[in-house]
Amino acid sequence: MREITSALARYAQERVVHVIDLTAMPLSDEDRRRLDERLGEGELTIDIRSLLHTRIEETRHAGVWRVRHCEPDGDVRSERIEIVDVPQIVRASDADIGQSVRRLAAAASEEGA
């Protein structure tokens, strides 16, 4: 919790993103329960279904996110705490936005709109 608190304070002042890789830590079931209890649940959950299933959960602390990547069978491949306004995986890339502009422009020109 000290690392999360320190990272969030730094993000608030300097906008430095911080990631804590929980899969690299030897956490017991009790450690995870306490972490879940202290972080709590926020209002937003995002599910991304691609090669891996990614679940992004806002905690009750603005700027603190839980990000889990799971195999199709449900096994957790990675689990992280991200200190950031919005996790990078959610943001649309410039290339994707550019492709969308071209698709929408082509669709509009086909309709004559």
Side-chain angles (χ1 to χ4, degrees):
M1 288 305 295
R2 284 188 292 268
E3 182 178 357
I4 293 169
T5 303
S6 174
L8 186 58
R10 187 168 183 213
Y11 185 80
Q13 291 179 346
E14 303 171 31
R15 291 304 205 224
V16 174
V17 175
H18 188 81
V19 175
I20 302 167
D21 183 1
L22 297 178
T23 50
M25 298 177 149
L27 297 175
S28 69
D29 290 342
E30 178 63 18
D31 293 333
R32 287 184 182 282
R33 186 194 63 71
R34 283 197 324 258
L35 182 62
D36 288 343
E37 187 177 280
R38 288 185 176 137
L39 293 178
E41 292 183 21
E43 299 173 347
L44 183 63
T45 300
I46 301 167
D47 284 308
I48 301 171
R49 291 177 183 85
S50 58
L51 186 59
L52 294 176
H53 176 209
T54 300
R55 184 173 189 91
I56 302 162
E57 298 171 320
E58 177 188 39
T59 71
R60 73 171 162 247
H61 308 285
V64 181
W65 300 84
R66 293 195 76 146
V67 180
R68 289 184 186 96
H69 301 283
C70 298
E71 298 286 347
D73 64 5
D75 286 343
V76 176
R77 179 178 271 181
S78 71
E79 182 176 13
R80 323 165 359 151
I81 302 290
E82 294 190 16
I83 312 299
V84 64
D85 55 351
V86 177
Q88 185 63 35
I89 193 170
V90 176
R91 296 176 181 271
S93 71
D94 291 343
D96 289 344
I97 291 171
Q99 287 176 351
S100 293
V101 168
R102 289 186 289 281
R103 282 194 307 266
L104 285 169
S109 68
E110 287 174 7
E111 292 177 3

